[in-house]
Amino acid sequence: MTRTSLTDVACSIARATDLFADAWTALIMRDVLMGVTRFDDIAHDLGISRKVLAARLSRLVEEGVLRRERYQDHPPREHYVATEKGADLYPVLLALMRWGDRWQSGGSGPPLRLHHVECGHDTEPVTVCARCGGALTVDNTTHLPGPGGRVGPGTRVVGPLVAGRRQTD
């Protein structure tokens, strides 16, 4: 069976979720970014089969999200370290965490607190405008055509919709 790939769709969400939409992949990245980096530790933490874990880790290494790094020579042992590309997934995980805390906590509250070391306060992740610092919401943003946009699989309806928009400022 051939794996369906979204890498050719002119949509950054499609391209990212082609790699990252699998729950195991998100949890593997959560573990690695939180400091659980050894294969056996990840397998134990997640309760994931070794075969599934090996496949997900291989893909993450192949895609340049993680790299294997030797931490012991005798016997040879390696662990997984996030690359810059992998570390850039942290805000994605934080957004999923915030949504899950709000809508999926089952009334028991968030399982983790997010502490900002630089200011010394607990916080929650928010998505803000890089220019003014204002919160970005579905009600106060719009999508405009970008240089990589095109109409095709995955963008047959949304592509022309966005292409018809013009910047108003």
Side-chain angles (χ1 to χ4, degrees):
M1 184 168 135
T2 305
R3 185 176 68 84
T4 302
S5 175
L6 298 173
T7 56
D8 293 330
V9 175
C11 173
S12 296
I13 294 171
R15 293 172 183 162
T17 56
D18 183 55
L19 169 65
F20 197 64
D22 175 275
W24 288 126
T25 302
L27 293 173
I28 291 165
M29 288 306 301
R30 177 206 66 188
D31 276 13
V32 169
L33 292 171
M34 288 179 70
V36 180
T37 62
R38 296 179 182 180
F39 184 96
D40 289 338
D41 292 340
I42 297 168
H44 177 71
D45 187 50
L46 299 180
I48 186 174
S49 83
R50 297 176 73 78
K51 181 178 178 181
V52 170
L53 179 57
R56 298 307 188 279
L57 286 169
S58 290
R59 175 114 193 265
L60 289 167
V61 168
E62 176 184 309
E63 295 284 342
V65 174
L66 296 176
R67 73 175 185 278
R68 287 183 185 92
E69 187 175 271
R70 173 114 356 135
Y71 69 87
Q72 178 180 309
D73 288 326
H74 301 289
R77 298 275 189 250
E78 296 179 330
H79 65 152
Y80 295 88
V81 178
T83 63
E84 181 181 2
K85 186 176 181 179
D88 272 355
L89 285 169
Y90 188 63
V92 175
L93 293 173
L94 291 179
L96 287 170
M97 183 178 94
R98 182 175 185 199
W99 187 89
D101 288 348
R102 180 169 183 194
W103 297 106
Q104 301 297 111
S105 68
S108 61
L112 296 174
R113 291 179 308 137
L114 186 62
H115 187 80
H116 188 224
V117 175
E118 289 183 13
C119 76
H121 291 91
D122 287 356
T123 189
E124 63 181 67
V126 294
T127 303
V128 299
C129 175
R131 299 278 181 150
C132 72
L136 298 178
T137 70
V138 70
D139 294 324
N140 70 13
T141 59
T142 191
H143 300 90
L144 301 172
R150 67 180 185 281
V151 175
T155 60
R156 288 189 175 102
V157 175
V158 76
L161 176 70
V162 171
R165 295 181 181 154
R166 297 289 171 245
Q167 191 167 351
T168 57
D169 64 0

